Amino acid sequence: MNTSEAISAHAVAGLAECQLDWRHKAIPATANGSTHAQFLAAKHTLADLQTPLLTLDSAALQSNADHLADWCKEHGVLLAPHGKTTMSPQLWTEQLNRGAWGITLANFAQLRVAREFGVRNLQLANSLTDPHAIQWVAGASTADAPILSWVDSVGTVEVINHLLAGSDAVLDVLVELGARGGRTGARGVDAAMEVARAVAASPNLRLVGVSGYEGSLAHTADDAGLGAVRGYLAQMRLLHEELLAAGLYGSGSLIITAGGSAYFDDVVSVLSPCISTGAEMGDSSVDLMIRSGAYIIHDDGFYRGISPFSRQGNQPFRAAMHGWARVVSQTEPGLAILDAGKRDLPFDEGLPEPQLIGPVLGGAMEPLQGAEITSVNDQHCFMTFDPETTSVQPGDVIRLGLSHPCTAFDKWTVIPVLAESAGDQTVVDLIHTFF
């Protein structure tokens, strides 16, 4: 791989030669056999597509990507966006081109996708325990193209030691702090220090930072939720300070990383005092890295309500994804069945939200007041409405606001990108995903 690039421009550009066919449910049958490039050259619009459908909004994507990149630069923090949100090298490119340090991923399969597309700097926000994954990372991680991973127990350290015994491989790891009721992570500072001591004693590991995820401890932005997040982040800072005092870090640059898409402002508020330059620490420096992933897509649901920029009224991110569904049945008053379901749209962080209605896809639409998606089956949505005030007919098209991009993208191998969801609905790109 070319380590002068953050991601291989050649590999990403090669997606334009992908042949589109029946495997890509977003692509109409009339375009069967076209390449990605040929499809775009034909200047298709939303009206040429079919339902069910997920689309992206180019203007919103660009705005969101710029917004967080500028914010990180202003606050002096690194961004390693969580690539599992989109699993799209094209969107990773947008993030990396705006100065992101690298891409964070969740498992071995995702790491392989990223390295296949030449992503230089990678972080696994998880522990390596699978033998194949450990051996692969040991061979693929270099000083010029690092792969960082996390450890949260002495047992994890022992697994890696056993697999790499006798080799000269040295993996860079961060000790993960957890909390009771959370997900992974050593339960408390004392337990994390024990893990760090095991890393320091290992010939095959080097401790390069502290990691954690505050998002598993809260799901709201009320006082209780923010209190839990801030208390946990304070423990991360304490752990870092104790590791410094005990001399357990390896040499070189250090990273403290936390921060999903819901509380990254609190991460920076609590942990930015840990940032230091090499001049202040001799041979080492300390960077703070956030890992927000959903921000580039944002949504009309969970993140709309909890994003720091929404809560603070500070230029909120824009929803860059929408669902489109057609009424396939309207056989009783006030109930319409739509042709999109769990296999097409996210539903785990809130059901789709009816926004607009129109007689044809890509045509004029008007606000759909008082309608609600009440349940979702595999291939259908149940939409209720007031038949006294709203007319809904078979064949009508509904635009849906969606919640949680992380469980939207995995349902589509190709996603059309519109210039704008409302306005110029020309298809300006096709986003390929690799879940």
Side-chain angles (χ1 to χ4, degrees):
M1 63 180 291
N2 182 356
T3 55
S4 66
E5 292 183 301
I7 189 171
S8 170
H10 176 75
V12 175
L15 293 171
E17 300 308 313
C18 176
Q19 182 171 305
L20 307 172
D21 54 30
W22 53 268
R23 294 169 298 174
H24 308 105
K25 66 180 181 178
I27 302 302
T30 53
N32 191 61
S34 300
T35 66
H36 168 129
Q38 290 168 341
F39 185 89
L40 295 183
K43 300 295 183 182
H44 288 287
T45 69
L46 178 62
D48 298 318
L49 307 179
Q50 72 283 302
T51 60
L53 183 65
L54 176 72
T55 64
L56 303 178
D57 183 313
S58 178
L61 286 173
Q62 301 300 319
S63 173
N64 293 343
D66 288 341
H67 193 6
L68 190 60
D70 291 345
W71 189 88
C72 288
K73 183 176 181 180
E74 178 186 348
H75 289 81
V77 299
L78 301 179
L79 172 63
H82 215 318
K84 57 93 178 171
T85 298
T86 66
M87 285 306 295
S88 170
Q90 295 154 281
L91 294 178
W92 297 345
T93 298
E94 295 292 331
Q95 295 165 312
L96 292 165
N97 285 348
R98 288 169 170 79
W101 169 88
I103 298 296
T104 299
L105 295 158
N107 60 36
F108 179 33
Q110 294 172 5
L111 283 178
R112 292 176 64 195
V113 172
R115 192 45 63 88
E116 182 68 21
F117 280 91
V119 178
R120 184 176 70 238
N121 293 341
L122 295 171
Q123 175 176 211
L124 178 70
N126 219 331
S127 294
L128 287 167
T129 56
D130 180 273
H132 295 288
I134 293 169
Q135 296 286 6
W136 185 87
V137 170
S141 182
T142 67
D144 292 330
I147 302 175
L148 311 181
S149 63
W150 300 0
V151 290
D152 69 354
S153 72
V154 173
T156 302
V157 173
E158 291 173 345
V159 167
I160 297 173
N161 285 340
H162 174 72
L163 262 295
L164 298 183
S167 77
D168 58 1
V170 178
L171 304 187
D172 287 339
V173 298
L174 296 86
V175 61
E176 181 189 3
L177 181 68
R180 186 174 297 278
R183 195 163 58 193
T184 54
R187 294 313 200 240
V189 171
D190 290 345
M193 289 293 291
E194 183 181 0
V195 177
R197 285 188 283 270
V199 171
S202 168
N204 299 114
L205 295 173
R206 176 171 51 237
L207 187 63
V208 297
V210 171
S211 62
Y213 177 52
E214 74 292 341
S216 65
L217 304 177
H219 211 65
T220 64
D222 57 16
D223 289 344
L226 293 178
V229 166
R230 292 164 183 166
Y232 167 74
L233 294 171
Q235 289 297 296
M236 283 188 66
R237 178 175 175 178
L238 176 61
L239 172 59
H240 168 66
E241 292 169 347
E242 292 199 9
L243 290 170
L244 281 176
L248 293 175
Y249 281 126
S251 59
S253 299
L254 306 176
I255 291 173
I256 302 175
T257 177
S261 296
Y263 306 107
F264 57 82
D265 58 331
D266 292 293
V267 169
V268 172
S269 176
V270 175
L271 294 178
S272 59
C274 299
I275 298 172
S276 60
T277 65
E280 296 168 327
M281 296 185 59
D283 293 334
S284 297
S285 61
V286 180
D287 285 307
L288 177 60
M289 174 189 291
I290 65 172
R291 306 187 306 275
S292 308
Y295 76 96
I296 192 170
I297 307 300
H298 198 52
D299 66 13
D300 281 310
F302 175 69
Y303 287 110
R304 176 180 61 186
I306 205 168
S307 166
F309 294 158
S310 297
R311 290 187 273 116
Q312 298 166 5
N314 178 22
Q315 189 188 335
F317 291 126
R318 297 164 54 185
M321 66 175 181
H322 293 93
W324 307 83
R326 188 170 265 108
V327 178
V328 293
S329 177
Q330 207 285 290
T331 55
E332 63 181 78
L335 175 65
I337 308 300
L338 312 184
D339 65 354
K342 294 178 180 179
R343 303 286 173 82
D344 312 299
L345 306 175
F347 58 92
D348 58 314
E349 290 286 3
L351 296 177
E353 174 185 289
Q355 296 178 330
L356 302 173
I357 185 171
V360 295
L361 185 65
M365 306 191 86
E366 59 185 39
L368 183 53
Q369 304 290 348
E372 180 182 6
I373 301 298
T374 56
S375 64
V376 182
N377 291 167
D378 286 352
Q379 310 291 175
H380 298 93
C381 285
F382 290 68
M383 186 181 80
T384 60
F385 61 95
D386 183 354
E388 298 296 323
T389 60
T390 303
S391 174
V392 177
Q393 301 295 326
D396 282 349
V397 173
I398 311 298
R399 194 187 84 175
L400 299 162
L402 305 175
S403 179
H404 203 198
C406 301
T407 50
F409 274 59
D410 63 323
K411 297 167 175 59
W412 299 84
T413 53
V414 168
I415 307 172
V417 182
L418 308 179
E420 299 173 294
S421 294
D424 179 5
Q425 295 178 328
T426 302
V427 179
V428 296
D429 205 354
L430 298 173
I431 292 299
H432 297 258
T433 69
F434 298 87
F435 284 91

